[in-house]
Amino acid sequence: MKVDGTAYRSIWSEADGRAVRIIDQTCLPHRFETVRLESLEDTAHAIRAMLVRGAPLIGATGAYGLALALFRDPSDAGLEDAWRFLLATRPTGANLAWALEDVAARVRPLPPAERATAAFQRAGALCDEDVAINYAIGGHGLELVRAAAARKPGRLDILTHCNAGWLATVDWGTALAPIYRAHDDGIEVHVWVDETRPRNQGAHLTAWELGRHGVPHTVIVDNAAGHLMQRGLVDLCIVGTDRTTAAGDVCNKIGTYTKALAAHDNGVPFHVALPSPTIDWTVSDGLTSIPIEERDPSEVQRVWGRTEDGTLTSVAVTPPSSAAANYAFDITPAWLVTGFITERGLAAPDGLGRLFPEYQAAAEQKRTTSHAHHSP
Ligand code: MRU
C-alpha cells in the first residue's frame, strides 16, 4: 500500500541480499521509520518487541530470520537451533511455525553451503504468496461487502478489532483487504476501529492505515462496540485471526470474543478473514489446544503516546503497586462465527475442510505417521 505516494510492503529484502528492512510499527502513527534486520537476533527481537506483528508478518519475518541465521551457521544443528529460537518468540499465531517449517523442509536436503541463499529466496516467495492470498481474500470479501451495501441505503458501517491490515501482513491485510477493495470500488464504507488495549494496535495502526488510504473511520474505546451494535450502528464485523482450528475456533487479539458475543446478541454478521497458513489443522478445540501468549504486565500498566513536543513516551495508568495481567489473545468458538473469508472463497464455520481438502488430508496423514512412530 502507499505511504505518501510511495508503495510499501511491511517487509522487503535489501539490495545486498543479506538483510531485510521492516517498518518499525512501535513508532506508528507518530513517526514512519524503517529498520534493517541482518541477523537471527535482529529478527527475533523485532518479533518479540513487536516492531513487526500480525500473524502473517511474523511468519514472513521468521522465514527471513531463519535464512539470516543460515548465512552464519548453515549446519544441521544451526538450522534446528535457529528454528527453535525463532519459534519461541511468539507462541500463539500459526503462521510462524508454518513458515519456519516450510523453509526448513526445503533447505534441509540441500548441502549446507547452498542453504542460506535458498532459504532467503524461499522467504521472498512466501512474502509474494502472502500478498496474493490477501488480495484474493480482498476479492471474496468484497462480494460480501457489496451484498451488505446493496441491502442498506447510505454508508455501510464495518467494525474491526486490533490491526489485521497491510501492516499485519506483507501487503493488503486480511480483514482490511475487503474494505480497501470496497472503498476503491466506490462503495461507501465507514470503519469503527476498536482501539485494542493494551498495545492499541487499532488506534495506532488501523487508524493510520485507513487514514493514509482515505477510508473514513472512527476510533472507539474497546468497550463501545456492544453499545453501537445495540443501536444498529454496526452492519458487519470483520476481524483477523492468529490461529484458527480445523473446526473453526478462532484465536485472535484479546477482546475479539466479547465482540463476537455482542454481535451474536444483536444479529450482526461476524466474519473472520482467514489466510490458509493461519489454519492449524492439527487441533479442533481452540480453548484447550491453543497456547495464549501472556505478555509483560507493563503493557497494561503503562500507555504509549506522543507528547505535545513530539517525544514518544509512556505514562503510568495504574497505581504502581497494582498487579496487572496481560493476556494477548482469546478464543471465539466457531458457533459465534458467521463465516470465514479465505483466499479460496467464503466458508461456513464448519466448512474449512471442504475448502482445503488437501491440507486437511496432509495433516491427517502426518498425525497417522506420528502415531505409528510412537506406538510400541
Ligand atoms: O499481537 P498482534 O498485534 O501481533 O496481534 C495481531 C492480531 O491479533 C491480528 O488480528 C491477527 O494477527 C490477524 S493479522 C492479519
Side-chain angles (χ1 to χ4, degrees), residues 24-199:
D24 181 352
Q25 300 191 20
T26 63
C27 296
L28 291 172
H30 309 295
R31 280 205 299 258
F32 184 84
E33 286 182 12
T34 66
V35 176
R36 179 178 159 97
L37 310 178
E38 45 191 29
S39 67
L40 168 67
E41 290 74 19
D42 285 354
T43 46
H45 168 75
I47 296 171
R48 215 179 286 116
M50 294 179 65
L51 280 71
V52 291
R53 26 68 52 205
L57 178 56
I58 291 169
T61 310
Y64 272 122
L66 200 55
L68 295 174
L70 290 170
F71 279 119
R72 198 167 58 200
D73 179 359
S75 67
D76 285 357
L79 175 61
E80 303 311 323
D81 285 353
W83 183 21
R84 260 196 303 278
F85 186 66
L86 285 161
L87 194 58
T89 51
R90 293 202 66 193
T92 296
N95 305 56
L96 178 59
W98 172 86
L100 292 174
E101 178 55 45
D102 181 289
V103 175
R106 270 160 209 267
V107 302
R108 237 183 241 118
L110 300 177
E114 293 173 20
R115 285 177 176 169
T117 306
F120 201 81
Q121 275 168 3
R122 181 60 193 157
L126 287 183
C127 288
D128 291 342
E129 282 173 23
D130 180 71
V131 178
I133 285 174
N134 299 330
Y135 186 75
I137 286 175
H140 296 299
L142 170 61
E143 295 317 312
L144 201 126
V145 172
R146 205 194 296 284
R151 289 192 296 269
K152 191 206 179 201
R155 81 177 193 187
L156 191 75
D157 289 292
I158 303 175
L159 182 133
T160 193
H161 191 63
C162 193
N163 172 261
W166 71 269
L167 289 169
T169 63
V170 179
D171 206 354
W172 283 104
T174 59
L176 295 196
I179 294 171
Y180 287 129
R181 301 275 303 262
H183 173 82
D184 292 351
D185 262 27
I187 298 172
E188 196 187 342
V189 285
H190 163 264
V191 184
W192 294 113
V193 177
D194 286 346
E195 62 178 350
T196 320
R197 272 282 281 151
R199 290 188 66 104

Side-chain angles (χ1 to χ4, degrees), residues 1-2 172 180-181 183-184 208-215:
M1 305 293 282
K2 286 194 173 155
W172 283 104
Y180 287 129
R181 301 275 303 262
H183 173 82
D184 292 351
W208 181 79
E209 270 194 34
L210 291 173
R212 289 290 157 142
H213 200 81
V215 180

